[in-house]
DNA sequence: TACAGTTAGTTATTTAAAGTAACTATAACT
DNA sequence: AGTTATAGTTACTTTAAATAACTAACTGTA
């Protein structure tokens, strides 16, 4: 993506959390750690995209991936501090949506 | 887009303001009314997409379009009350970005 | 031994959105 | 007649998202 002279920080943040499904995944993880299937069931997202998004969020250190070698394998996704710190922004958007839509 | 059972309101809001460029356009308009060219210059967005986004935002009553029949024509875009009410959310994201990126 | 079930994905293909560049209408100015 | 300016539009290419089918690893059952 091109850079904006306007506000590179906002731009970068929007590129990340404005990406489709990202905010909803974070919203879902605010409930607590979740397994891959749980997130997939909570949202109308496919495994393909969920996998892609979780990788991006992991790379940005917004979520943490924990693998439990059970059978079948269990993988849990948890918000990091950085991830949890997005709660305010997500709640603001939620509140706005309640008041204006 | 499919509906999410999770939080249709957040989902709807993110579909709108999470759309590429939308948050940055609103951020820019928080400075005050702006002409088409001014927004286009402030962001690395093309006329094609800016036009498309502004139409969407006008339809959602987040921005208002005013035409002044001067030569050449002047078109100004202003945030409505609904649009200005997004300031809190945008600032939250900006603050998060400052603290965590 | 062979087959179904479970989780957490991946691969392949189609469809939608975004990026890029060139073009248009209108009117003044040279 | 040709140039400049604003606010777009049109045509085309590239990237991202949606959809569906498939895979690996292991268990439990017939």
């Amino acid at each position: 993506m091109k850079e904006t002279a306007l506000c590179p920080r906002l731009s970068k943040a929007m590129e990340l959390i404005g990406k489709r499904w990202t905010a909803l995944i974070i919203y879902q993880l605010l409930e607590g750690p979740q397994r891959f299937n749980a997130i997939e069931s909570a949202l109308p997202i496919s495994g393909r995209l969920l996998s892609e998004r979780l990788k991006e969020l992991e790379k940005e250190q917004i979520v943490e991936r924990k693998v439990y070698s059970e059978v079948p394998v269990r993988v849990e996704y948890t918000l990091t501090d950085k991830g949890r710190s997005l709660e305010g922004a997500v709640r603001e958007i939620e509140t706005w949506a309640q008041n204006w839509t």
Side-chain angles (χ1 to χ4, degrees), chain A:
Chain A
M1 177 201 179
K2 278 191 208 159
E3 279 302 306
T4 171
L6 176 60
C7 182
R9 273 187 301 251
L10 179 61
S11 180
K12 174 106 197 312
M14 285 311 300
E15 230 182 299
L16 180 66
I17 72 159
K19 210 157 190 175
R20 194 160 199 190
W21 303 114
T22 301
L24 291 168
I25 291 167
I26 291 165
Y27 184 80
Q28 180 66 17
L29 288 177
L30 284 170
E31 301 290 311
Q34 312 258 325
R35 313 177 57 163
F36 189 90
N37 266 359
I39 306 171
E40 198 178 3
S41 303
L43 302 170
I45 191 178
S46 67
R48 187 204 156 293
L49 269 188
L50 180 55
S51 175
E52 195 175 298
R53 286 296 175 277
L54 286 170
K55 272 183 196 161
E56 291 163 4
L57 290 171
E58 202 191 346
K59 197 174 149 210
E60 295 288 335
Q61 305 189 79
I62 286 171
V63 306
E64 196 186 347
R65 182 175 184 270
K66 282 181 201 150
V67 181
Y68 299 90
S69 300
E70 302 170 359
V71 171
V73 68
R74 179 161 61 102
V75 182
E76 270 189 3
Y77 292 89
T78 314
L79 289 179
T80 61
D81 288 346
K82 185 177 175 184
R84 267 186 299 278
S85 71
L86 276 164
E87 178 160 12
V90 174
R91 300 290 182 208
E92 274 280 338
I93 297 166
E94 196 187 5
T95 302
W96 175 85
Q98 280 170 358
N99 294 334
W100 293 94
T101 62

